[in-house]
Amino acid sequence: QVQLVESGGDLVQPGGSLRLSCAASGSIFSIYAMGWYRQAPGKQRELVADITNGGTTNYADSVKGRFTISRDNAKNTMYLQMNSLKPEDTAVYYCNAVLTTFLNPAIRRAYWGQGTQVSVSS
């Protein structure tokens, strides 16, 4: 079994910062791309940022220059540093990872975390 567990969500004032973490655990053989998605009430889930196992990053235009994605491959952990937060960043943030397991080392599958709430309000 594979688990992705997010942490770090909180209520913060506009202009503030938060750091989200996503820890992957279980029978993991190899992790490929990892990403952060978010879903605001009444809206579709959208990509925030993603990162390959080689460190190549990609960001949504709305967060460029404010958010930084990173990962520690040795710890199977991904991070999202969020600065200059705006009310429109309010959403549930989900972790996603494409990985293989020891049971099926040739088959890549996408896994999701349960989400962590980020609220930006004064």
Side-chain angles (χ1 to χ4, degrees):
Q1 287 286 34
V2 172
Q3 278 193 316
L4 299 182
V5 179
E6 302 101 332
S7 61
D10 205 345
L11 171 64
V12 63
Q13 291 187 342
S17 297
L18 282 175
R19 188 192 195 208
L20 305 183
S21 298
C22 170
S25 63
S27 184
I28 297 170
F29 184 73
S30 186
I31 302 179
Y32 298 90
M34 300 184 78
W36 288 99
Y37 290 73
R38 66 186 180 187
Q39 187 166 19
K43 295 189 176 181
Q44 288 190 330
R45 191 173 297 190
E46 63 177 1
L47 174 68
V48 176
D50 57 25
I51 183 168
T52 67
N53 54 357
T56 300
T57 59
N58 174 55
Y59 295 92
D61 287 342
S62 59
V63 306
K64 280 180 182 176
R66 299 188 299 122
F67 291 9
T68 302
I69 189 172
S70 62
R71 62 191 282 178
D72 184 334
N73 291 332
K75 295 181 178 179
N76 288 342
T77 300
M78 175 179 63
Y79 306 97
L80 185 68
Q81 178 65 43
M82 304 187 294
N83 299 329
S84 302
L85 282 160
K86 304 175 181 180
E88 50 263 42
D89 295 318
T90 295
V92 178
Y93 283 70
Y94 296 92
C95 167
N96 174 273
V98 176
L99 56 84
T100 57
T101 64
F102 283 103
L103 185 61
N104 292 297
I107 300 175
R108 301 186 187 188
R109 266 194 59 191
Y111 291 81
W112 291 91
Q114 82 290 347
T116 185
Q117 177 70 48
V118 172
S119 298
V120 185
S121 175
S122 54

